[in-house]
Amino acid sequence: SSELTQDPAVSVALGQTVRITCQGDSLRRYYASWYQQKPGQAPVLVIFGKNNRPSGVPDRFSGSSSGDTTSLTITGAQAEDEADYYCNSRDNRGNHPFGGGTKLTVL
Amino acid sequence: QVQLVESGGGVVQPGRSLRLSCEASGFTLGSYGLHWVRQAPGKGLEWVAVIWYVGSNTYYADSVKGRFSISRDNSKNTAYLQMNSLRAEDTAIYHCARGQSNYQSGDYYYFMDVWGKGTAVTVSS
């Protein structure tokens, strides 16, 4: 299956820790990547591979995976982290579907 | 400065064609994969297609297979998305994104590390 499933919305209190999850069969074979998208902007890569952050992404962002589930964790969420987050992974057909996205609200 | 710039979007009638371009600067496009990703108004990201640097292998989402074609001209450092038989549901912002792949801890991983700002396509009569 090439489908990736995410919770539509998650909220977190300012400064607290939040985990955003993504589930799919392809994650048993391929690591996911995570993208942050703010309104009116292009997506930005925040996590790739086992737990790699591109230059410029704060170290409060981290990734983990187990079985068919991958997670993006924000430790000490900031107001500027409020955004939509998408997971993405290759599937067995060579396609790269996205999850449906999770809207993160920082309270 | 590493960047991707899309162009070619516009308003087109259903059933017609459009070709989008994605020009790379600051890096050699032929050494990377190149994805097209779209976002319909108020909706999430939808992966459309990819062309890889090894063998120029191409893959397409089921929603566009047989209608869209991805290609690139390395001499122009530019990739293209030829869109035929357009439908109303193809209306979206189309982004191109640089694709990479690697192998770590026994598993492969793929990611899109550079994104263009997008070009808008509206399919309407």
Side-chain angles (χ1 to χ4, degrees):
Chain A
S1 170
S2 61
E3 186 173 316
L4 297 176
T5 302
Q6 297 182 239
D7 291 329
V10 171
S11 62
V12 61
L14 184 67
Q16 296 303 300
T17 296
V18 63
R19 176 175 292 181
I20 299 170
T21 61
C22 172
Q23 186 176 22
D25 287 343
S26 63
L27 301 179
R28 296 183 183 277
R29 182 175 180 184
Y30 302 104
Y31 287 112
S33 52
W34 287 94
Y35 303 85
Q36 176 193 70
Q37 187 182 34
K38 297 181 179 179
Q41 297 183 18
V44 173
L45 175 70
V46 293
I47 290 289
F48 64 98
K50 190 173 184 180
N51 181 19
N52 302 303
R53 280 177 290 104
S55 173
V57 174
D59 60 6
R60 63 180 178 270
F61 289 86
S62 63
S64 61
S65 64
S66 178
D68 69 349
T69 300
T70 188
S71 301
L72 172 70
T73 299
I74 307 174
T75 304
Q78 301 300 302
E80 60 264 33
D81 299 334
E82 187 163 290
D84 294 327
Y85 291 85
Y86 296 90
C87 61
N88 179 273
S89 178
R90 186 192 190 275
D91 67 19
N92 290 333
R93 295 189 296 160
N95 296 344
H96 294 258
F98 285 90
T102 297
K103 182 178 182 60
L104 175 66
T105 300
V106 180
L107 304 172
Chain B
Q1 181 183 4
V2 172
Q3 66 175 356
L4 294 168
V5 179
E6 304 91 340
S7 61
V11 180
V12 61
Q13 293 178 328
R16 304 298 291 266
S17 299
L18 204 60
R19 188 177 81 158
L20 306 182
S21 298
C22 171
E23 183 173 5
S25 58
F27 68 98
T28 301
L29 184 61
S31 299
Y32 296 86
L34 191 286
H35 297 265
W36 285 96
V37 176
R38 68 185 182 183
Q39 188 166 33
K43 302 296 185 181
L45 300 177
E46 181 187 12
W47 176 80
V48 173
V50 64
I51 182 166
W52 287 108
Y53 47 88
V54 178
S56 291
N57 291 334
T58 59
Y59 300 88
Y60 299 89
D62 290 343
S63 57
V64 306
K65 193 175 295 184
R67 300 187 300 123
F68 289 13
S69 177
I70 188 172
S71 62
R72 68 165 168 241
D73 185 336
N74 290 339
S75 68
K76 296 181 179 179
N77 223 29
T78 299
Y80 304 96
L81 185 68
Q82 177 67 43
M83 305 186 296
N84 300 328
S85 303
L86 282 162
R87 306 167 179 167
E89 54 264 36
D90 296 318
T91 294
I93 301 291
Y94 284 74
H95 298 274
C96 58
R98 187 172 77 173
Q100 297 204 54
S101 64
N102 214 323
Y103 186 79
Q104 179 183 20
S105 301
D107 288 298
Y108 287 94
Y109 63 90
Y110 298 79
F111 57 97
M112 307 172 201
D113 64 339
V114 179
W115 290 70
K117 293 182 178 181
T119 185
V121 173
T122 301
V123 183
S124 174
S125 54

